[in-house]
Amino acid sequence: MDPFTLPPSVILIVDDLPANLEVLSRTLGDAGAEVLVALDGISALEQAAYAQPDLILLDVMMPKMDGFETCRRLKLNEDLQDIPVIFTTSLTDIADKVQGLNLGAVDYITKPFQVEEVIARVRNHLQLRQLHRELQQLNQQLEERVHQRTLAIHQEIEERRQIQERLFYQAHHDGLTGLPNRRLILENLRRYLDRSSQDPQAHFAVLVLSCDRFKLINDSLGHLVGDQLLIKVAKRLQSCLERDPASLLGRLWGDAFLIISSKESISEVTESADRLVQAFQLPFEVNS
């Protein structure tokens, strides 16, 4: 890049002396920048809010509101605080320069102006600002990628969890009736046996129900009707046991079902068994 050329940019010059504005405007304009001007701090704040310049050249010594106060207000504004501010001043006191830097200024240009110095300092800070913007964009892109990847991982984990739950359910439940299958019901039976062996007071009962002459249904009406009958049998058993949460119902095989009951006494188990028998006095209707 030509040492006297600036990247495309909008620069706000703030100075209460028209002569200084003219010199800086011509210098920066000839270098390729779009130049805006303001004669005081209040106008500078208004211009900055409206135009959002890429850089501000700010005179320190101004009436009403000096450059330090103007800079302080710029840095308090979330929309303006990232705009780099270069102070222009004839002050040489280190304390003044430190004050400006502490307020958020990025550099100083001393008066009287040297064209080479003005262009060099302005170019450096415009390039730094552009690098800062590019870094912010890269960070945003990286954060978005991380966010998307995180969502994808969570979705994958959830899908795997659902698959595992389905596989577990399928491995432990009867595909026709949805009841716990032989494997699950026998696992529960083993747990009941283990518990009762450790605690003699932990009573339970096992009831087995099979459908008499079920083979006749399959042979005469077909297996589809037989399957529908088994589904209805399972639902009726579940309905009978709704009031008995201590009972576990499962399908052993074919037309055989098993119930594990945690009733406290033989009489209670007998009453449950009688209710089941009575429930099966009612006919089943399958395909009319």
Side-chain angles (χ1 to χ4, degrees):
M1 178 182 289
D2 190 311
F4 294 99
T5 301
L6 295 173
S9 55
V10 177
I11 299 175
L12 173 62
I13 305 171
V14 187
D15 201 304
D16 62 321
L17 297 179
N20 290 336
L21 291 177
E22 182 180 354
V23 171
L24 289 175
S25 296
R26 183 172 63 252
T27 299
L28 299 175
D30 290 345
E34 179 183 345
V35 178
L36 305 174
V37 298
L39 291 169
D40 55 63
I42 295 176
S43 298
L45 294 173
E46 294 174 351
Q47 283 265 45
Y50 176 77
Q52 296 284 318
D54 299 298
L55 184 141
I56 299 174
L57 288 174
L58 180 59
D59 185 24
V60 173
M61 303 301 293
M62 294 186 298
K64 297 181 181 180
M65 183 189 297
D66 63 16
F68 292 143
E69 177 62 19
T70 304
C71 182
R72 188 185 71 83
R73 295 192 185 188
L74 282 167
K75 296 306 176 181
L76 289 176
N77 189 320
E78 291 184 359
D79 297 328
L80 307 177
Q81 60 187 203
D82 291 333
I83 301 174
V85 175
I86 299 177
F87 278 125
T88 61
T89 183
S90 56
L91 299 175
T92 58
D93 191 338
I94 294 298
D96 292 326
K97 292 184 178 181
V98 170
Q99 181 182 356
L101 295 173
N102 286 337
L103 287 170
V106 296
D107 207 348
Y108 268 89
I109 297 176
T110 57
K111 299 176 183 179
F113 302 119
Q114 299 296 322
V115 172
E116 294 85 353
E117 180 187 11
V118 172
I119 296 298
R121 291 182 184 276
V122 169
R123 182 196 299 114
N124 286 342
H125 289 292
L126 286 174
Q127 290 174 342
L128 286 173
R129 179 166 172 76
Q130 180 59 32
L131 289 174
H132 179 67
R133 285 172 170 170
E134 291 175 357
L135 181 60
Q136 284 182 321
Q137 291 177 352
L138 289 174
N139 285 337
Q140 289 176 354
Q141 293 173 1
L142 180 59
E143 288 176 0
E144 181 62 25
R145 289 180 182 177
V146 170
H147 178 66
Q148 294 298 331
R149 180 56 181 158
T150 302
L151 289 178
I153 291 174
H154 284 312
Q155 182 177 358
E156 183 178 349
I157 292 173
E158 178 62 19
E159 289 175 353
R160 289 186 178 183
R161 185 189 65 79
Q162 293 177 359
I163 290 173
Q164 290 174 346
E165 287 183 354
R166 287 198 298 270
L167 290 175
F168 181 86
Y169 183 87
Q170 292 170 0
H172 293 83
H173 289 79
D174 176 48
L176 179 65
T177 64
L179 294 176
N181 60 13
R182 174 186 176 87
R183 176 181 178 182
L184 181 57
I185 198 73
L186 292 182
E187 286 179 359
N188 278 277
L189 182 57
R190 277 192 290 271
R191 280 196 289 270
Y192 274 91
L193 288 169
D194 291 341
R195 188 174 65 180
S196 65
S197 66
Q198 297 173 5
D199 180 8
Q201 301 301 318
H203 302 297
F204 71 96
V206 177
L207 292 80
V208 178
L209 179 148
S210 60
C211 302
D212 294 342
R213 299 184 299 280
F214 181 74
K215 184 175 182 299
L216 179 62
I217 301 294
N218 281 335
D219 292 343
S220 60
L221 300 177
H223 287 279
L224 290 179
V225 172
D227 287 346
Q228 291 299 312
L229 177 58
L230 287 175
I231 293 173
K232 289 181 175 293
V233 168
K235 288 182 177 179
R236 188 170 294 184
L237 286 171
Q238 288 176 302
S239 178
C240 292
L241 297 173
E242 282 180 353
R243 295 177 297 175
D244 188 7
S247 296
L248 178 65
L249 168 67
R251 183 185 179 196
L252 279 179
W253 59 74
D255 63 316
F257 298 85
L258 185 144
I259 300 168
I260 303 175
S261 176
S262 297
K263 295 293 187 180
E264 292 296 326
S265 65
I266 294 295
S267 61
E268 289 180 317
V269 175
T270 302
E271 290 176 5
S272 294
D274 289 340
R275 283 198 300 271
L276 289 172
V277 173
Q278 292 172 6
F280 279 84
Q281 301 302 313
L282 299 174
F284 289 95
E285 183 175 335
V286 181
N287 294 343
S288 300

